[in-house]
Amino acid sequence: MNAVEQHIENMFRDFPETEEIKRIKNDLYQNAQDRYDELVALGKTESEALGTIIIEIGERDVLLEELDYDQEQDLMDYSIHTLAEAENYIMFTNRESMKIGLGILLILVSVGLTPTFNTFGVEEIGVILLLICVAVAVGIFITAGLRLDALKNAFDPDEGTFYLSPEDYETVEYEFSVFKEKERYRIPMGVMLCILAVIPLLIFSFLDQQLITERFGILLLTTAIGAGVYQFVKYGMLQSAYEQILNIGEYSVEERRFQQKIEPIAGIYWLAIVLIYFVWSFTTMNWHYTWMVWPISGILWALISLFLKIMSNRESDR
């Protein structure tokens, strides 16, 4: 591969190899190579000729706009995956979402049991049970994640994108609409459970039952929240699976590129949150308070993501 061809390949490295992109690259290469040979014949050095070619080609997005390239239509006509692969991914996501939801429920129930054991004077048992449940849940999360990652091998390796024929795309789109209609109760149910979770604590506090609050109130609180989070996970993961297949929402081409940019930041952020949670919890033993780290961190990350997206859009507009 010569320097001119390498430059053109680099320009389109994050684009799927559709027939239209192949045609554009081939035409661009032929014209650039002819111009390169012409410049060398006129006495330019290879480096000078290549620099001139790069300047004359210009920016990729401007070039594609001049060629009236419609990426959305191009991707609709680009199919490298089957309907069976799409449905298989959705089916496995459904199964793994149940496991992940139950793993979260297991952690929250064990958190609620810690103060319960404290009231019986066996604090160590509560902590041991918590660590066991966390270990089991983490094992579930890792296993589920590895299985889903293995299934994603069917996706485009560069963009992580799924490409269906127009007919198969419409089939999955219809199945997605059926899913949203059938499972729409999960989000309001999850919200309701999280809100109602505090009612037992309020009742016990009103009755001035401190012992009952510590023994059962916190357990009821975390269990109800866990059941609510289960609903969110079950619906959210399946919705994400459909959106991944359909390349919409947060899995659109533009959003994928943004998420790839902030992925290292997200990893560092959530690792720090985990460390803060466990250090705070084990140093204070106030497990009935420290769980608040998670919803607060989630809201904070949403704000950070929004800020980063605004900054990224500003850079793109320059």
Side-chain angles (χ1 to χ4, degrees):
M1 183 181 295
N2 59 38
V4 174
E5 188 177 4
Q6 181 66 54
H7 173 67
I8 294 172
E9 287 295 330
N10 289 336
M11 286 179 64
F12 292 90
R13 65 182 181 275
D14 57 350
F15 270 62
E17 281 288 315
T18 65
E19 293 302 317
E20 182 66 11
I21 289 296
K22 288 179 181 178
R23 184 190 66 78
I24 291 174
K25 286 166 56 177
N26 184 63
D27 292 346
L28 191 60
Y29 172 69
Q30 292 298 330
N31 294 331
Q33 189 62 47
D34 291 342
R35 176 63 173 154
Y36 179 84
D37 294 338
E38 178 186 342
L39 291 169
V40 171
L42 291 173
K44 296 279 189 180
T45 65
E46 293 183 356
S47 298
E48 290 173 336
L50 179 60
T52 302
I53 292 294
I54 292 174
I55 293 173
E56 291 179 352
I57 290 176
E59 295 184 5
R60 180 196 63 196
D61 293 342
V62 175
L63 174 67
L64 292 178
E65 185 176 351
E66 292 175 350
L67 295 173
D68 294 325
Y69 173 70
D70 187 343
Q71 185 181 34
E72 183 176 349
Q73 182 60 48
D74 192 22
L75 292 179
M76 287 293 291
D77 298 333
Y78 179 54
S79 173
I80 60 174
H81 300 113
T82 65
L83 179 62
E85 288 175 323
E87 292 181 336
N88 186 53
Y89 180 67
I90 292 169
M91 179 187 69
F92 272 87
T93 300
N94 181 42
R95 189 180 70 182
E96 300 307 319
S97 68
M98 293 176 61
K99 294 179 181 178
I100 291 174
L102 289 174
I104 295 173
L105 177 60
L106 181 64
I107 291 176
L108 288 173
V109 169
S110 64
V111 169
L113 282 172
T114 303
T116 300
F117 281 107
N118 289 349
T119 61
F120 289 102
V122 285
E123 179 181 326
E124 296 78 7
I125 295 179
V127 174
I128 293 172
L129 179 63
L130 173 65
L131 293 175
I132 292 173
C133 290
V134 169
V136 171
V138 169
I140 292 173
F141 299 154
I142 293 174
T143 303
L146 290 174
R147 287 174 178 168
L148 290 175
D149 284 341
L151 285 174
K152 286 182 181 178
N153 289 334
F155 287 68
D156 179 81
D158 297 323
E159 286 285 328
T161 308
F162 209 89
Y163 299 105
L164 293 169
S165 67
E167 295 78 12
D168 290 343
Y169 187 94
E170 289 181 2
T171 299
V172 177
E173 198 171 33
Y174 172 74
E175 292 177 357
F176 185 32
S177 66
V178 172
F179 159 77
K180 288 191 290 186
E181 178 67 23
K182 181 180 177 182
E183 303 289 328
R184 66 183 188 277
Y185 72 90
R186 290 192 181 276
I187 297 301
M189 177 178 287
V191 173
M192 181 183 68
L193 284 168
C194 290
I195 293 174
L196 296 179
V198 301
I199 289 181
L201 282 179
L202 294 175
I203 293 175
F204 296 148
S205 298
F206 178 76
L207 296 176
D208 196 21
Q209 296 292 326
Q210 181 66 27
L211 179 61
I212 296 178
T213 300
E214 294 180 3
R215 184 167 292 179
F216 302 112
I218 297 172
L219 175 60
L220 291 173
L221 171 72
T222 58
T223 301
I225 291 175
V229 172
Y230 175 87
Q231 304 301 325
F232 297 146
V233 171
K234 189 74 167 58
Y235 185 91
M237 287 188 63
L238 275 172
Q239 180 182 12
S240 293
Y242 277 109
E243 289 182 347
Q244 282 182 283
I245 298 296
L246 298 173
N247 302 314
I248 59 176
E250 63 178 298
Y251 294 99
S252 62
V253 175
E254 296 78 11
E255 186 64 23
R256 286 176 191 271
R257 291 172 184 165
F258 170 71
Q259 292 299 328
Q260 288 175 353
K261 288 181 181 179
I262 68 170
E263 187 174 348
I265 301 174
I268 295 172
Y269 175 84
W270 287 111
L271 177 60
I273 295 301
V274 170
L275 291 174
I276 290 171
Y277 171 71
F278 280 111
V279 170
W280 184 21
S281 299
F282 280 109
T283 54
T284 65
M285 297 307 294
N286 291 326
W287 298 90
H288 51 295
Y289 293 127
T290 56
W291 65 269
M292 291 187 294
V293 165
W294 300 110
I296 293 173
S297 300
I299 295 171
L300 182 59
W301 176 246
L303 294 174
I304 293 172
S305 298
L306 179 60
F307 172 76
L308 292 174
K309 191 166 189 179
I310 292 173
M311 297 302 295
S312 178
N313 291 337
R314 285 182 180 178
E315 290 180 2
S316 299
D317 293 337
R318 290 177 182 175

